[in-house]
Amino acid sequence: MELAYIPSPSRGVLHLGPVPLRAYAFCIIIGVFVAVWLGNRRWIARGGRAGTVADIAVWAVPFGLVGGRLYHVITDYELYFSAGRDWVDAFKVWQGGLGIWGAIALGALGAWIGARRRGIPMPAYADAVAPGIALAQAIGRWGNWFNQELYGRATDVPWALHITSSADGRVPGYYHPTFLYESLWCVGVALLVIWADRRFTLGHGRAFALYVAAYCVGRFWIEYLRVDDAHHVLGLRLNNWTALVVFLLAVAYIVVSAKKRPGREEVVEPGAAAEGTPSDATSGADGTDGESGKTSEGDGETARSDAGPATGSTDLTKAEDGAAPAEDDVKTKTKPKTETETETEAETESAGGKKS
C-alpha cells in the first residue's frame, strides 16, 4: 500500500446546467492570460505600448491552438482515422491533445502576421513573451492531470501519480507524474530566461531562442519517462528527436545572432517613446532594465542642465530677502552712470565756452 502519492481528480469536467466547464480548457485559458500579462509588462519595460502584446496575441493564440491540434492529430493519426475510430474526435480539443511543437510553430506565424500589421519587429516581440509562454505551458500541463493522461512509467516514489481511470486503455496504478515534472521545468525555464535577459541584455530573438533550447532539454528526458503510445525512430520517441533537432537549431540561432546582431533593439515599437510610455514603472520586475525609463529620465536631466538660470527669479529672490547687492553688481550699475555724467559735464563746459 502506498503511503504517499498524488491523487488524480475523479473527473475533469463540471456541469453548470447544460454548460460543461472543462478543467483542461480552463488551464489553457489561465495560461494564456498569464503569458499576455507578463509579456505586456516586459514589452512596456522595453519601450513598447501597453496593449500591443494582447493585440498580437489575438492572432497568435488561435493559430497556436490550430497548430498544436494539427501536430497531435498528424503524429497520432491512428487515434482518429484507424478502424473503429471516429474522425470527428479530431476536432474535440477539450478532450486533450495539443502538440507544443505545432502550437509554437503556427503560433509564431500568427504572431508574425500581427506584428507585421503593427510594424513591430518579430524578434523583439518574441523576446518579450518568451517567459510568459513557458509559464503558460507550466499551467497548461495541469490540464493533463485532470484528464489523467501523459503520465510516465510505473514507480513507487512518494510523489507517484495515482491513476484511477481505466478508460482508453489506462491501467490503474502509480506512475511518474510527468505532467508535474514538465510544469516545474517550465517554471524554471521562465525564471532562467528572465535572469539571462536581465544579466546579458538579450535581444533580436535570443531570449526566445534560450527559452526554446532550455525547454527542449527538459522535454527530452521527460519524454523518455512517458509510456503512452508514440511513434519511435531508431529506438527514440518522435518527440525526443523533435526536441533534439529544435534544441540544435535554437543554440545555432543564439550563436549566429550574437555575432551578427549583438546587443538589443533600441526601438521596439515606433512612436511609443514619443507617447511617454511609463516603462520605468515596471523596470527590473520582469527581466528587463527599463531602458526607456532611463532614457526619459536622462533626457529630462539634460534638458534641465541645458536651460540657463532664471535671472529674473534670482533677482526677485534677492529683493525679497533684502540682501545687499554684491560689489560687482554695484560696480556694474554705477560705472555707466559715472561715465555718462562725465561726458555730460564735458559737453556742458564746451557749450558754455562757445556761448561766451
Side-chain angles (χ1 to χ4, degrees):
M1 177 179 180
E2 298 293 335
L3 297 180
Y5 59 86
I6 300 174
S8 292
S10 58
R11 56 181 179 175
V13 57
L14 296 175
H15 290 275
L16 186 61
V19 180
L21 304 177
R22 304 183 185 278
Y24 185 86
F26 271 107
C27 289
I28 294 176
I29 293 172
I30 294 172
V32 170
F33 273 102
V34 170
V36 171
W37 169 78
L38 181 58
N40 184 65
R41 286 177 58 88
R42 287 172 53 82
W43 185 252
I44 293 174
R46 292 193 59 180
R49 293 187 181 94
T52 296
V53 170
D55 291 343
I56 297 179
V58 172
W59 289 87
V61 172
F63 272 74
L65 290 175
V66 172
R69 189 61 176 177
L70 281 176
Y71 182 89
H72 168 72
V73 172
I74 291 173
T75 55
D76 292 305
Y77 62 88
E78 65 278 358
L79 298 177
Y80 307 100
F81 302 104
S82 60
R85 298 285 184 170
D86 187 358
W87 62 271
V88 177
D89 291 341
F91 297 95
K92 298 179 180 179
V93 181
W94 56 88
Q95 293 182 352
L98 292 174
I100 186 61
W101 313 112
I104 294 297
L106 213 58
L109 174 61
W112 176 81
I113 295 174
R116 184 177 177 82
R117 289 168 60 90
R118 296 290 294 264
I120 292 172
M122 180 60 187
Y125 179 84
D127 286 341
V129 300
I133 294 177
L135 290 180
Q137 289 179 249
I139 297 171
R141 275 305 176 194
W142 285 87
N144 301 131
W145 177 59
F146 282 99
N147 286 352
Q148 296 196 39
E149 61 185 3
L150 303 186
Y151 45 86
R153 303 171 185 172
T155 183
D156 58 358
V157 296
W159 56 87
L161 175 65
H162 186 200
I163 296 297
T164 59
S165 173
S166 57
D168 296 329
R170 297 182 183 90
V171 178
Y174 299 90
Y175 301 89
H176 275 288
T178 51
F179 84 92
L180 179 60
Y181 298 161
E182 186 166 339
S183 179
L184 295 176
W185 183 269
C186 287
V187 172
V189 170
L191 296 177
L192 171 65
V193 174
I194 290 175
W195 171 82
D197 191 24
R198 191 172 185 180
R199 174 66 176 82
F200 302 106
T201 316
L202 301 177
H204 301 287
R206 287 187 288 277
F208 184 82
L210 175 62
Y211 144 71
V212 172
Y215 172 75
C216 288
V217 172
R219 181 60 185 266
F220 187 89
W221 68 266
I222 294 172
E223 187 74 20
Y224 189 74
L225 292 175
R226 284 170 51 172
V227 294
D228 53 303
D229 293 333
H231 296 284
H232 287 72
V233 178
L234 299 178
L236 288 178
R237 294 165 65 98
L238 177 61
N239 282 331
N240 282 118
W241 286 107
T242 305
L244 180 61
V245 172
V246 175
F247 169 80
L248 294 175
L249 292 175
V251 172
Y253 179 88
I254 293 174
V255 174
V256 174
S257 174
K259 291 181 178 180
K260 290 187 175 182
R261 307 184 71 180
R264 177 185 287 174
E265 300 91 338
E266 295 182 0
V267 178
V268 297
E269 187 167 3
E275 297 178 0
T277 303
S279 58
D280 54 339
T282 57
S283 175
D286 40 32
T288 56
D289 295 330
E291 294 86 349
S292 298
K294 292 182 178 180
T295 304
S296 300
E297 183 180 354
D299 293 343
E301 293 176 356
T302 304
R304 289 194 295 271
S305 62
D306 291 341
T311 307
S313 60
T314 304
D315 293 342
L316 180 60
T317 303
K318 289 182 179 179
E320 291 176 351
D321 295 341
E327 183 179 355
D328 293 338
D329 293 341
V330 174
K331 291 180 180 180
T332 303
K333 293 178 180 179
T334 57
K335 185 176 180 179
K337 182 177 180 181
T338 304
E339 292 177 351
T340 303
E341 291 176 350
T342 303
E343 293 175 357
T344 303
E345 291 175 357
E347 291 175 358
T348 303
E349 293 177 358
S350 175
K354 290 181 180 179
K355 289 180 182 180
S356 62

